Amino acid sequence: MPSGTHEVFTKMVVREIESRLQRTSIAGSIECLESMDIALESEPSDDHEYSKCSPDASFALKDDRYPCVVIQNSFSQSKRDLPRLADDYIIGSYGNIKLVIWL
């Protein structure tokens, strides 16, 4: 379970991103999804097995199935695992997740 510090830090980062997005022409078409479950395809196959990931926050174009940016606090995870986990997000979303930000 995330600590209070973890949640506060994540919210500060999200607010900063939202603040900067407000100054762009695409601000109205992007929404912050906070923490939501994302079904990612585990292995490309005919039987479509999915795994569930719950990033700390994400940003998506309105009405898209997957967010384009995922934010994940990684304090409790091994730094060696982060590239593989980022690949899981990107590949499991068929490339719809374009950017994974580790905090």
Side-chain angles (χ1 to χ4, degrees):
M1 172 153 238
S3 70
T5 303
H6 169 116
E7 290 182 15
V8 168
F9 182 65
T10 301
K11 285 183 190 248
M12 288 172 52
V13 170
V14 167
R15 281 192 199 122
E16 182 63 25
I17 292 170
E18 288 176 323
S19 169
R20 291 175 185 239
L21 279 172
Q22 290 305 316
R23 296 179 234 158
T24 69
S25 61
I26 61 169
S29 62
I30 295 179
E31 59 187 344
C32 179
L33 303 174
E34 295 291 328
S35 182
M36 64 170 262
D37 292 340
I38 301 172
L40 301 172
E41 187 163 336
S42 300
E43 294 288 329
S45 65
D46 292 334
D47 54 353
H48 296 288
E49 292 182 27
Y50 293 91
S51 62
K52 181 177 79 168
C53 293
S54 301
D56 295 306
S58 58
F59 288 88
L61 295 170
K62 291 184 178 175
D63 301 322
D64 276 2
R65 178 177 175 195
Y66 292 105
C68 49
V69 177
V70 166
I71 299 172
Q72 182 71 50
N73 246 306
S74 61
F75 295 126
S76 63
Q77 294 169 320
S78 167
K79 290 187 184 345
R80 285 180 276 146
D81 293 338
L82 300 183
R84 181 189 55 78
L85 294 170
D87 282 349
D88 289 348
Y89 275 115
I90 295 167
I91 294 168
S93 70
Y94 300 101
N96 289 293
I97 295 173
K98 309 280 188 225
L99 176 66
V100 179
I101 300 172
W102 298 105
L103 304 177

